[in-house]
Amino acid sequence: MASDDALAPGQGQGRKRWFGGRGSTRPTEKQGVESDMTPAEPPSKEMSVQTENAPDIQEAEDIRVEPDVDPGPSLPAPPPEALASLRARGGEQSDEEVQLPLVISIANQKGGVGKTTTAVNLGAALAELEYRVLVIDLDPQGNATTGMGISHRNVEGSIYDVIMNDAPIDDCTEPTTVQNLFVVPATIDLAGAEIELVPAFSRELKLRRALAQISGAYDFTLIDCPPSLGLLTVNRLAASDDVIVPIQCEYYALEGLGQLLRNVALVKSNLNPALEVLGIVLTMYDARTKLAEQVEREVRAHFGAKVYRTVVPRTVRISEAPSFGQPVTVFDSTSRGALAYRELAKEVSRGATRRAG
């Protein structure tokens, strides 16, 4: 087989054109000598001056001379009000002493905003202030029941028996590990109560009549409500004196608030003229995010003094406490969550005189 040196001139050039694309790129002997021997010409003085001045010329071209126009006096934008001062105005309600006994619904149709957590820990904090507190678990999930160390399988009666079978509420009340704190547990049977209540006579007032049997036995009765607007929700609103609304410091938590307030007004006009919104508590507050601050500003700007000063932070200890069947005030009494709920209990009670013994 012939080597590449033995190829015809045309064939060798063709191969070079195939790989190089523009034919032979090997310089001729004459070209190589001229390129090696020809010295590079130094830049002329004019070229040097022009090169040195080029950046200045470019910068000069970028400069635009604007006509002198007097914009007139401008007022500086007012700085946003400090969040601390907004909180200081929160909870500025009537100085009148809270009249006990008081039935309070912890309500918000939005799920996952801290209703159960607030019912359990606020109840425990009120019990620490030596008030006698009853927590009614009206949520079929029964999280408030297990959050206070009560097992669904070990209870003889539940709130289902109170509403559907007219059982005395005292027979269904269970003590907890916290002194002065009691609970009426919920079981899965409560899930069918919405349907069973439909044909019942005076179905909206069943819980109110049950609570009338123990009037004066407890200073505070807190009702943990399901995230819905069914007959169970109407029952607890009709039986309550006031409503506390937990709001998670996120955007979605604000969407259902208007509908909840409309339902409160509807129940007030038809079933319970004394029903009022006692206050709004901000929960799951994460100070690391701008969104939490924006939600707090919007809620406080709209509802004013109805929003409590206390803001419940998002902490791991609050989330861990239910797995041990304890309120956070017992599980970790020095945590930020426990301190927040103690402050909230002071705002809610406002030093009311204890009635129950």
Side-chain angles (χ1 to χ4, degrees):
M1 180 176 180
S3 63
D4 291 342
D5 296 336
L7 294 175
Q11 294 175 343
Q13 293 175 0
R15 171 171 291 189
K16 291 177 181 179
R17 282 195 297 270
W18 174 261
F19 287 100
R22 293 189 298 174
S24 176
T25 58
R26 181 179 298 175
T28 62
E29 182 179 357
K30 184 177 179 180
Q31 290 174 342
V33 172
E34 290 179 356
S35 60
D36 294 338
M37 296 300 293
T38 304
E41 295 183 1
S44 62
K45 185 176 181 180
E46 296 178 355
M47 292 177 60
S48 301
V49 173
Q50 185 176 1
T51 305
E52 293 175 357
N53 295 336
D56 297 336
I57 294 174
Q58 182 67 29
E59 291 175 3
E61 291 177 354
D62 295 338
I63 297 175
R64 297 180 180 179
V65 179
E66 298 291 341
D68 294 335
V69 178
D70 185 10
S74 58
L75 297 176
E81 188 174 2
L83 200 56
S85 61
L86 286 175
R87 289 181 181 176
R89 292 203 304 268
E92 293 178 355
Q93 302 176 19
S94 174
D95 294 333
E96 296 181 2
E97 184 177 330
V98 175
Q99 298 298 318
L100 301 180
L102 203 60
V103 180
I104 302 175
S105 284
I106 313 296
N108 192 333
Q109 68 185 44
K110 173 74 171 60
V113 298
K115 294 186 296 296
T116 300
T117 301
T118 299
V120 171
N121 294 305
L122 177 60
L126 288 169
E128 283 188 0
L129 296 176
E130 299 182 0
Y131 293 106
R132 189 174 170 89
V133 182
L134 175 66
V135 175
I136 297 178
D137 191 355
L138 205 62
D139 190 341
Q141 299 179 80
N143 291 333
T145 302
T146 57
M148 287 186 284
I150 306 298
S151 174
H152 304 282
R153 296 183 294 271
N154 298 332
V155 297
E156 297 181 0
S158 67
I159 191 64
Y160 173 84
D161 300 305
V162 174
I163 294 177
M164 300 307 306
N165 301 327
D166 296 327
I169 198 167
D170 279 335
D171 295 346
C172 302
T173 302
E174 299 286 339
T176 68
T177 57
V178 180
Q179 187 178 2
N180 296 323
L181 181 62
F182 302 84
V183 60
V184 179
T187 60
I188 194 62
D189 297 335
L190 195 60
E194 291 276 2
I195 299 176
E196 296 178 40
L197 278 172
V198 171
F201 175 75
S202 190
R203 57 193 180 188
E204 298 90 355
L205 304 177
K206 281 184 167 290
L207 184 58
R208 180 197 288 185
R209 288 195 294 268
L211 291 178
Q213 302 171 9
I214 57 170
S215 177
Y218 300 93
D219 295 311
F220 288 94
T221 300
L222 305 180
I223 305 176
D224 180 31
C225 304
S228 64
L229 297 174
L231 286 174
L232 289 178
T233 300
V234 174
N235 260 271
R236 47 91 174 167
L237 289 178
S240 301
D241 300 311
D242 294 291
V243 177
I244 290 180
V245 184
I247 295 182
Q248 183 184 9
C249 292
E250 292 186 3
Y251 172 74
Y252 283 135
L254 299 175
E255 289 192 329
L257 184 58
Q259 182 62 43
L260 173 65
L261 297 179
R262 284 192 290 271
N263 286 324
V264 169
L266 189 62
V267 172
K268 180 178 180 178
S269 61
N270 292 276
L271 296 172
N272 187 1
L275 185 64
E276 297 288 347
V277 175
L278 183 63
I280 297 172
V281 56
L282 297 168
T283 63
M284 304 182 190
Y285 184 86
D286 191 346
R288 300 171 297 177
T289 64
K290 287 288 186 182
L291 177 61
E293 180 180 338
Q294 292 170 359
V295 171
E296 180 179 2
R297 286 183 180 277
E298 185 173 346
V299 172
R300 291 191 184 278
H302 187 74
F303 294 101
K306 283 290 185 183
V307 186
Y308 291 114
R309 295 187 183 95
T310 303
V311 176
V312 179
R314 182 189 294 273
T315 67
V316 176
R317 307 304 276 173
I318 291 179
S319 302
E320 289 177 340
S323 63
F324 291 87
Q326 295 176 339
V328 70
T329 53
V330 176
F331 178 69
D332 189 348
S333 61
T334 60
S335 64
R336 292 188 300 134
L339 297 177
Y341 276 111
R342 288 193 183 102
E343 291 299 318
L344 179 62
K346 293 177 183 177
E347 287 193 69
V348 172
S349 62
R350 292 187 300 193
T353 304
R354 302 164 186 80
R355 289 169 50 98

